[in-house]
Amino acid sequence: MISVALDGPAGAGKSTLAKRVAKHFNFIYVDTGALYRSIGLFTQRNNVASKDLTKVTELLPLIKLEMKYDNDGIQRMFLNGEDVTDDIRLPEVSTYASDVSAMLPVRDFLLSMQQNMAKKYNVIMDGRDIGTVVLPNADLKIFITASPETRAKRRFIELKEKDIDTTFEEVLSEMIKRDKNDSERDIAPLKAAEDAIILDTTNLDFEQSFEALCKLVSDIKW
Ligand code: DC
């Protein structure tokens, strides 16, 4: 099986790019952020504070997560049998996801699920610690990044398209906060693996980034 690890901060374009690359090479696209978001959503729904390690840990045995794929290869996320694919994208869930993702029991809970996907399928897996922790032996590791302003602008446009009421300033400040949270945590912080290729998309448009990625995947020795 071939595995491509794609890590990087929020809004770097990982998911849009990875979806297209997966389609191009007929790989499965695994959005691991959706797993943390689902736990974040469950935490929020149960009125548990997102930083309460004990209570969040107690919730874990009550959670059953499944990733399913529709005919277009689009991942749908199921939380205890309910399709939460859209609910987990709400901005308030992002903070919950970021907070619970800093907890070791949460990361352990999700580790084998992610690794099993890579055992079964050719995958392009998008996350924060895929190249460093989840798939340290991935065939290719890419760390995608872009300036915070560029990332916030992309995320803002995405949210507007979904009619989610927010401002650019709000998105930018939330993004900077989340970057800090994700990269300064003790467990599996956001950082490029030593053997990752860094792809900075600040000055690249979507097609240019897509081509750069495809070239890297094509160069894998199959
Ligand atoms: O990629 P995303 O924005 O959907 O991720 C939501 C949160 O989950 C983000 O704050 C970081 C966390 N996350 C993580 O810690 N490890 C991953 N492999 C994926 C996401």
Side-chain angles (χ1 to χ4, degrees):
M1 289 297 154
I2 301 288
S3 53
V4 178
L6 195 63
D7 292 302
K14 293 188 305 287
S15 64
T16 328
L17 281 167
K19 271 182 214 155
R20 267 281 294 279
V21 172
K23 204 166 181 180
H24 188 79
F25 289 95
N26 206 13
F27 280 20
I28 293 270
Y29 163 61
V30 184
D31 167 14
T32 64
L35 299 169
Y36 294 93
R37 285 174 178 272
S38 300
I39 296 183
L41 179 67
F42 194 73
T43 305
Q44 186 197 31
R45 285 181 175 177
N46 282 277
N47 298 316
V48 166
S50 59
K51 290 197 175 173
D52 191 329
L53 173 63
T54 310
K55 289 219 174 98
V56 172
T57 306
E58 279 168 10
L59 290 179
L60 294 177
L62 309 176
I63 297 177
K64 183 168 177 262
L65 297 176
E66 290 163 289
M67 288 187 274
K68 295 184 184 170
Y69 290 86
D70 67 17
N71 292 338
D72 292 328
I74 302 296
Q75 175 180 303
R76 300 216 62 94
M77 192 68 237
F78 288 79
L79 166 63
N80 295 334
E82 176 193 346
D83 186 340
V84 293
T85 313
D86 296 327
D87 292 12
I88 58 174
R89 295 290 142 205
L90 293 172
E92 63 263 29
V93 177
S94 302
T95 308
Y96 275 86
S98 184
D99 285 343
V100 300
S101 74
M103 299 172 181
L104 189 57
V106 170
R107 303 205 75 86
D108 284 348
F109 180 74
L110 296 176
L111 186 62
S112 59
M113 188 170 175
Q114 298 168 81
Q115 290 173 333
N116 286 340
M117 292 298 285
K119 278 185 199 146
K120 275 201 246 163
Y121 307 105
N122 291 332
V123 291
I124 176 157
M125 195 174 283
D126 148 2
R128 302 293 188 285
D129 63 334
I130 308 304
T132 50
V133 177
V134 180
L135 304 176
N137 297 319
D139 298 278
L140 172 66
K141 299 179 186 177
I142 303 166
F143 192 85
I144 297 201
T145 186
S147 71
E149 289 72 21
T150 305
R151 291 187 284 117
K153 201 168 127 201
R154 290 176 188 161
R155 184 52 60 95
F156 177 64
I157 293 170
E158 214 175 271
L159 293 171
K160 277 276 143 201
E161 277 167 5
K162 288 184 188 157
D163 279 336
I164 294 172
D165 186 30
T166 183
T167 63
F168 172 75
E169 288 70 28
E170 245 169 39
V171 176
L172 179 62
S173 89
E174 192 265 339
M175 194 157 269
I176 290 171
K177 209 168 78 197
R178 203 141 67 91
D179 279 358
K180 195 168 147 51
N181 221 2
D182 293 344
S183 35
E184 290 181 359
R185 68 185 179 211
D186 295 336
I187 308 154
L190 166 68
K191 71 162 196 271
E194 274 177 15
D195 50 352
I197 294 167
I198 314 279
L199 184 63
D200 187 332
T201 66
T202 307
N203 297 312
L204 300 182
D205 66 19
F206 181 79
E207 287 306 321
Q208 290 167 324
S209 311
F210 174 66
E211 273 166 32
L213 259 179
C214 284
K215 166 94 182 58
L216 292 170
V217 177
S218 308
D219 287 346
I220 298 176
K221 305 274 171 287
W222 302 67

